[in-house]
Amino acid sequence: MSLPKLTVNEFKERIIDKLKSDYVKDIHEACENDIYYIISSIVNEEILPQWHATQQKYKEKNCKQVYYLSMEFLVGSLLESNLLNCGLLEQSNQALEMLGFKPEKIYAQEHDAGLGNGGLGRLAACFLDSLSSLYYAGHGYGIRYRYGLFEQRIIHGNQLELPDYWLKNRYPWESRKEDEAVCIHFHGDVHMFKKNDGSLEFKYKNTDKVMAVPYDIPVVGYQNDVINTLRLWSAESVYQEEDLTGDGSQYYHDLDHQHSIEQITGFLYPDDSSHEGKELRLKQQYFLVSSSIQNIIKNFKRNQKLSLSHLSEKVVIQINDTHPSLAIPELMRILLDEEHFSWESAWEVTTKVIAYTNHTTLSEALETWPKGMMQHLLPRIYMIIDEINERFCKGIWFDHEELREQIPELAIIAHEQIHMARLSIVGSFSVNGVARIHTEILKKKEMKHFYTLFPDRFNNKTNGITHRRWLLQVNPKLSNLITDVIGPKWVQRPKQLISLLKYSKDTSFLEKVDQVKRENKIRLANIIHERTGILVDDQSIFDVQIKRLHEYKRQLLNIFHIIYLYNELKEHPNLDITPRTFIFAAKAAPSYHLAKEVIKLIHTVASIVNYDSDIQGKLKVIFLENYNVSLAEKIIPAADISEQISTASKEASGTGNMKMMMNGAITVGTLDGANIEINDLVGDQNMFIFGLTADEVLDYYHHGGYNATDIYNTDDRVKRILDQLNQGEFGSHEIEFKDIYYNILYHNDPYFVLKDFEPYLETHELVERAYRDRLTWLNMSVTNIAYSGKFSSDRTIQEYATDIWKIKPV
Ligand code: 26V
């Protein structure tokens, strides 16, 4: 049972007492950082008994557990969300105010845990929040990278990457569990013995051993006393400090060795949607998988009288993309070599336990590993993959004659490469995409032969976001307003936001919504001013595109629109347009040249537009550096327009689209990813859809017929912009943006920026007109909020739980 919640006064007294006992300070001597740690420890004291009780309950009830394996968990900062979920946020806010502190300043002391690249990692974090909040026994397994995703600085318009040493100060949410450490083996020789009964036994010798030490982070459910665990593994040398006493070369050899082991969990690979076969990354993947699977089996044995052949009754493992797909051969290895299962029974267990989520169809992102690398680093795992492949290919040859010719496209090992998506499909009982269109593309195009082989495996689970963080926490004013009119039930049942439709034409309600948006915009305008020195008009349209920088996401289309508007205003300075503030935030992968050029272009255009008095402040272009969860939390509540303009078929789902919709922004978007499902709900009248459809795009890719140069030659607006780039009109030197120019004209505009340019401009003219009609706009905004309940990750998790995991709330 939970303790009665602290009152404001008690909370305040706790802060004061703790300051005395832990810091030997009075309140007026304390700095914001002290207070941050004090509040974290108050929260931890609330959490700890519940954390223990939750684990006990799971044991008592002997319920099935879900393990979400992911190379990324982009949790962001936890103090405010933990306070919210513990039911202590109000008390904390008021106590802090009484003590003379600004709550947001205290919460901002926390360094984001940036252990993810983007959508995939943030999705994992939202899922954990929903699992706990909905009373599911579900835990995360990931890696405790010492360096998270790089910190972005912009110097003269160029992206500079700095290491993100997020653990510099003590991280109050983790606890090291040394007694749960496990040993991971790399390299070595595999020896094969024939046993008396004729079966084979495998033993490994001369392996390199690495300790995996877990650090646990509590995952607090929303006011329900459920605390699940996010377990992050850290690599350590099996040597102890005291072993490092040799002198001379041995000492340095050992230190070096220790260093290279710690490197395994040294940093997060900073790529989103591009795969490079780096050995250290493969090591990381096996490290995560082996430590997690060992731990899962240990827990199963500890709590069950059942034999491991019943594993699937008590355990399900969801792999987040193919990054943890070595879970399949690793589970096979343990069942075969340590538990002495036959191949057939091991395979039956494995394929009943593992479920796979695909997050992309971009071919450059699909993981493959060189066969030789796998053989050298993980010899036994390689043998098992080879055997899986042999059996799978034989099965096609004998049982699916119609697919014989396709074997090279289906084989797990082909052309000296191991194809991890193919391994994941073959070795799991469920394969899901992350939005309806994405799953359809998997079934009908990308993975169509696998779909023929295993039609029942494929299913869709449209992504979601936790409305607790992305509405309640980031936009308390809007949340209160919603509760004022429809009551508080939507917090538990976000689909009930639909009741807002009754108020979507209620002028007094709409005016209040307008007022909240204005206040959020003023707050963001202040942040922009503090960080960039630029003053933006809080009455202007805040037009927002925030996401990783990638060609397919088409930030370029957005900046071309801005250049077009600027050119228009230069020609017609008195053009009557509603002032606009274009807000960007985006990190580019460090080696992604074109993406970095686009960042430079945005800055260059900004430096011209923002200071040109001819256009009378009608346009402002803002790039906020170092996009991360905390920055998103500040921008999203202030967005009027949500730019979701990927080349159709390329964005598997998107989740920023859902976050902005939930905060009342109107989407300008292509029919891609989850935009389509947003459109199904709100209709064309509450959203601005434009551009090629996925079918049209795929048709161009397969049959040709698109010529970017034709558009350049016939559309003066396009010609003008590209010539401005080519002639160095935007740039300190002439060759600055030539690569963008060449990519569009000589590589035939692979992402159809020019093709969608005109419809995009026309759509933005409609946006402009719609924005001027205040009440209509606010009605659209409220309609979007009303339908956004579907995109709570609670709905997504419920679907995973009933369709895939077969688990019930505990
Ligand atoms: C690939 C790689 C390659 C190697 C280095 C590190 C790294 C990190 C991530 C990725 C995978 C990219 C896949 C991805 O993030 N997909 C996104 O998943 C979101 C959640 O499902 C979805 O909303 C986005 O549309 C999709 O692009």
Side-chain angles (χ1 to χ4, degrees):
M1 264 330 282
S2 64
L3 301 166
K5 291 295 170 215
L6 295 171
T7 63
V8 175
N9 268 320
E10 286 164 346
F11 203 98
K12 195 184 91 193
E13 291 309 315
R14 280 274 275 277
I15 297 176
I16 295 170
D17 290 349
K18 272 190 159 296
L19 256 177
K20 278 214 189 91
S21 60
D22 300 2
Y23 287 72
V24 203
K25 282 185 184 178
D26 280 338
I27 195 73
H28 58 268
E29 295 170 295
C31 67
E32 286 168 342
N33 202 251
D34 298 336
I35 302 290
Y36 162 71
Y37 280 108
I38 295 284
I39 303 211
S40 307
S41 87
I42 296 175
V43 174
N44 271 325
E45 284 161 14
E46 295 286 304
I47 288 175
L48 279 170
Q50 295 174 19
W51 200 358
H52 184 250
T54 305
Q55 306 316 314
Q56 286 305 113
K57 181 119 192 180
Y58 293 162
K59 268 188 210 149
E60 261 165 46
K61 298 234 165 168
N62 191 19
C63 49
K64 188 170 178 182
Q65 312 268 328
V66 186
Y67 297 101
Y68 198 79
L69 262 60
S70 177
M71 288 287 282
E72 309 190 10
F73 285 92
L74 226 188
V75 290
S77 58
L78 288 180
L79 177 53
E80 196 176 356
S81 65
N82 283 346
L83 280 165
L84 173 73
N85 287 7
C86 286
L88 290 172
L89 185 57
E90 253 321 293
Q91 293 90 316
S92 169
N93 287 343
Q94 289 186 31
L96 285 170
E97 300 272 7
M98 286 160 79
L99 293 170
F101 292 97
K102 284 214 162 76
E104 67 271 21
K105 285 264 161 66
I106 302 298
Y107 308 145
Q109 293 298 310
E110 184 165 339
H111 192 115
D112 272 28
L115 309 185
N117 270 284
L120 168 142
R122 184 54 233 175
L123 184 75
C126 285
F127 280 4
L128 293 183
D129 185 84
S130 288
L131 280 166
S132 291
S133 298
L134 297 173
Y135 299 84
Y136 286 118
H139 311 278
Y141 278 114
I143 291 183
R144 181 180 180 267
Y145 302 101
R146 254 170 302 117
Y147 293 87
L149 186 65
F150 66 86
E151 237 178 73
Q152 180 194 53
R153 291 282 161 75
I154 305 290
I155 308 286
H156 303 305
N158 296 307
Q159 169 176 295
L160 190 77
E161 299 96 21
L162 301 177
D164 167 47
Y165 191 35
W166 69 291
L167 291 167
K168 192 166 93 202
N169 300 319
R170 184 175 68 86
Y171 187 59
W173 307 114
E174 65 176 10
S175 35
R176 183 181 162 93
K177 295 281 163 66
E178 216 161 277
D179 52 331
E180 302 248 27
V182 293
C183 186
I184 314 296
H185 298 260
F186 293 101
H187 305 288
D189 319 308
V190 182
H191 295 269
M192 202 159 56
F193 303 92
K194 208 171 204 156
K195 292 198 290 192
N196 290 341
D197 63 358
S199 64
L200 294 174
E201 189 172 340
F202 294 85
K203 293 236 159 83
Y204 332 130
K205 290 214 174 112
N206 304 321
T207 56
D208 294 334
K209 297 168 196 65
V210 176
M211 288 303 282
V213 182
Y215 286 74
D216 287 353
I217 297 175
V219 182
V220 183
Y222 183 73
Q223 300 182 10
N224 66 355
D225 297 349
V226 174
I227 318 273
N228 289 326
T229 304
L230 168 58
R231 172 158 281 192
L232 301 180
W233 298 99
S234 178
E236 291 184 11
S237 155
V238 283
Y239 296 124
Q240 302 296 310
E241 282 280 301
E242 55 269 24
D243 297 332
L244 289 172
T245 49
D247 51 17
S249 65
Q250 185 56 34
Y251 176 79
Y252 286 105
H253 173 268
D254 289 351
L255 258 191
D256 207 39
H257 179 71
Q258 181 174 337
H259 179 75
S260 80
I261 283 175
E262 286 167 0
Q263 263 313 94
I264 297 174
T265 49
F267 70 95
L268 165 74
Y269 271 86
D271 246 328
D272 188 301
S273 319
S274 87
H275 163 78
E276 275 179 277
K278 287 267 166 56
E279 184 171 62
L280 181 56
R281 167 92 178 162
L282 182 59
K283 266 194 183 168
Q284 291 185 333
Q285 295 187 349
Y286 183 67
F287 178 81
L288 163 67
V289 156
S290 181
S291 46
S292 308
I293 303 274
Q294 290 189 52
N295 197 231
I296 290 167
I297 291 184
K298 202 197 282 175
N299 285 343
F300 177 85
K301 286 184 165 175
R302 203 170 351 186
N303 303 332
Q304 303 295 335
K305 292 184 189 76
L306 298 169
S307 108
L308 271 170
S309 54
H310 294 270
L311 188 66
S312 69
E313 292 161 30
K314 297 291 167 191
V315 166
V316 54
I317 299 174
Q318 189 73 41
I319 57 173
N320 199 19
D321 218 303
T322 55
H323 317 153
S325 57
L326 291 176
I328 295 160
E330 175 66 1
L331 182 52
M332 286 295 286
R333 182 190 69 77
I334 293 175
L335 294 173
L336 292 167
D337 299 354
E338 294 176 10
E339 304 291 337
H340 309 289
F341 275 51
S342 69
W343 181 277
E344 289 73 17
S345 0
W347 187 243
E348 185 172 328
V349 172
T350 301
T351 52
K352 277 185 179 166
V353 165
I354 309 270
Y356 157 56
T357 306
N358 173 286
H359 293 267
T360 184
T361 55
L362 293 185
S363 53
E364 65 272 28
L366 293 181
E367 284 191 301
T368 60
W369 293 103
K371 184 173 128 179
M373 189 188 282
M374 190 76 78
Q375 245 167 338
H376 175 69
L377 185 68
L378 304 166
R380 180 62 182 136
I381 291 294
Y382 174 76
M383 292 168 80
I384 292 169
I385 297 175
D386 195 36
E387 179 79 26
I388 296 173
N389 181 48
E390 284 286 311
R391 288 173 185 247
F392 171 61
C393 292
K394 273 199 191 124
I396 303 176
W397 184 266
F398 291 113
D399 305 335
H400 290 273
E401 273 180 48
E402 76 287 1
L403 286 177
R404 277 187 185 178
E405 293 216 334
Q406 267 71 52
I407 289 181
E409 289 166 54
L410 293 169
I412 296 166
I413 307 178
H415 309 293
E416 299 295 301
Q417 296 285 320
I418 306 178
H419 293 257
M420 305 313 274
R422 301 178 193 171
L423 174 65
S424 305
I425 302 171
V426 174
S428 61
F429 67 91
S430 165
V431 177
N432 76 280
V434 290
R436 191 176 64 217
I437 185 184
H438 171 59
T439 302
E440 287 308 309
I441 291 175
L442 291 179
K443 292 201 293 195
K444 302 219 172 94
K445 306 240 150 65
E446 230 56 49
M447 295 177 171
K448 62 173 187 230
H449 300 311
F450 285 102
Y451 181 53
T452 313
L453 288 171
F454 314 115
D456 302 335
R457 255 175 231 190
F458 284 77
N459 65 93
N460 175 245
K461 294 286 164 286
T462 298
N463 282 167
I465 56 166
T466 166
H467 63 288
R468 288 165 289 274
R469 178 180 291 255
W470 296 107
L471 179 50
L472 269 181
Q473 180 190 321
V474 306
N475 204 342
K477 288 178 181 151
L478 180 61
S479 304
N480 288 337
L481 199 54
I482 294 171
T483 301
D484 286 347
V485 293
I486 65 169
K489 289 212 182 103
W490 66 274
V491 176
Q492 302 287 349
R493 303 249 174 282
K495 276 220 175 112
Q496 295 197 8
L497 283 170
I498 200 68
S499 312
L500 280 176
L501 285 184
K502 282 185 273 188
Y503 302 88
S504 68
K505 296 219 159 98
D506 174 330
T507 319
S508 102
F509 177 66
L510 294 181
E511 272 163 9
K512 288 182 196 145
V513 171
D514 195 28
Q515 182 57 28
V516 166
K517 183 64 84 180
R518 174 133 312 136
E519 287 168 22
N520 290 336
K521 285 167 75 175
I522 292 172
R523 190 174 79 121
L524 180 59
N526 288 333
I527 293 172
I528 291 172
H529 186 235
E530 271 166 35
R531 296 190 182 189
T532 67
I534 300 169
L535 283 170
V536 302
D537 174 1
D538 52 56
Q539 308 270 357
S540 64
I541 305 175
F542 279 20
D543 187 330
V544 175
Q545 188 173 22
I546 48 174
K547 49 184 78 248
R548 282 298 288 264
L549 214 141
H550 205 290
E551 288 164 273
Y552 84 79
K553 296 180 188 280
R554 298 200 297 192
Q555 281 92 350
L556 197 56
L557 181 58
N558 189 346
I559 198 79
F560 279 8
H561 173 228
I562 298 171
I563 298 174
Y564 159 77
L565 288 177
Y566 175 70
N567 288 340
E568 283 294 288
L569 279 169
K570 285 296 269 186
E571 251 171 58
H572 316 284
N574 293 323
L575 204 68
D576 176 29
I577 70 161
T578 311
R580 279 222 203 196
T581 303
F582 293 91
I583 297 166
F584 292 89
K587 286 179 179 174
S591 59
Y592 194 166
H593 170 71
L594 268 176
K596 290 181 145 180
E597 282 295 294
V598 173
I599 291 183
K600 180 92 204 230
L601 179 61
I602 297 171
H603 280 90
T604 307
V605 171
S607 70
I608 295 170
V609 168
N610 293 346
Y611 302 100
D612 187 335
S613 56
D614 290 356
I615 63 164
Q616 306 155 43
K618 286 178 187 161
L619 302 178
K620 284 276 155 69
V621 181
I622 302 298
F623 187 103
L624 289 168
E625 66 185 4
N626 200 35
Y627 184 50
N628 60 13
V629 173
S630 295
L631 183 58
E633 290 171 1
K634 297 180 180 98
I635 299 173
I636 288 169
D640 292 312
I641 295 287
S642 157
E643 297 276 355
Q644 307 299 337
I645 57 179
S646 53
T647 309
S649 80
K650 299 279 177 193
E651 188 70 271
S653 159
T655 43
N657 45 3
M658 304 168 184
K659 291 168 197 161
M660 286 200 261
M661 172 198 197
M662 199 174 266
N663 282 274
I666 315 294
T667 307
V668 171
T670 47
L671 285 172
D672 200 17
N675 296 353
I676 298 178
E677 289 160 71
I678 296 177
N679 186 232
D680 286 346
L681 293 175
V682 304
D684 287 341
Q685 68 285 12
N686 292 302
M687 173 167 194
F688 298 96
I689 294 290
F690 74 98
L692 291 173
T693 62
D695 282 339
E696 289 166 338
V697 168
L698 295 172
D699 201 64
Y700 276 130
Y701 280 132
H702 294 133
H703 305 113
Y706 173 53
N707 189 344
T709 312
D710 287 348
I711 300 183
Y712 171 80
N713 286 328
T714 51
D715 187 330
D716 292 341
R717 300 162 300 185
V718 168
K719 185 171 188 322
R720 169 119 194 253
I721 294 167
L722 282 172
D723 290 348
Q724 282 171 305
L725 290 186
N726 189 35
Q727 287 153 11
E729 207 169 301
F730 300 117
S732 46
H733 50 97
E734 213 184 283
I735 54 164
E736 192 105 79
F737 299 115
K738 275 207 158 66
D739 291 327
I740 295 177
Y741 177 89
Y742 285 133
N743 194 253
I744 289 198
L745 291 183
Y746 300 143
H747 293 153
N748 199 31
D749 184 17
Y751 295 94
F752 300 95
V753 173
L754 300 195
K755 182 78 188 166
D756 278 346
F757 181 70
E758 174 157 8
Y760 186 57
L761 295 196
E762 285 168 358
T763 299
H764 267 294
E765 274 162 28
L766 298 178
V767 169
E768 158 97 30
R769 243 174 284 159
Y771 191 81
R772 287 176 186 226
D773 181 351
R774 281 319 287 156
L775 286 182
T776 309
W777 184 272
L778 289 165
N779 167 261
M780 291 167 76
S781 174
V782 168
T783 307
N784 272 272
I785 301 168
Y787 281 110
S788 70
K790 162 168 175 179
F791 300 104
S792 165
S793 45
D794 287 4
R795 186 265 313 147
T796 315
I797 284 299
Q798 262 147 2
E799 291 177 4
Y800 274 92
T802 39
D803 303 347
I804 304 178
W805 302 334
K806 314 285 180 207
I807 55 163
K808 294 215 166 74
V810 178

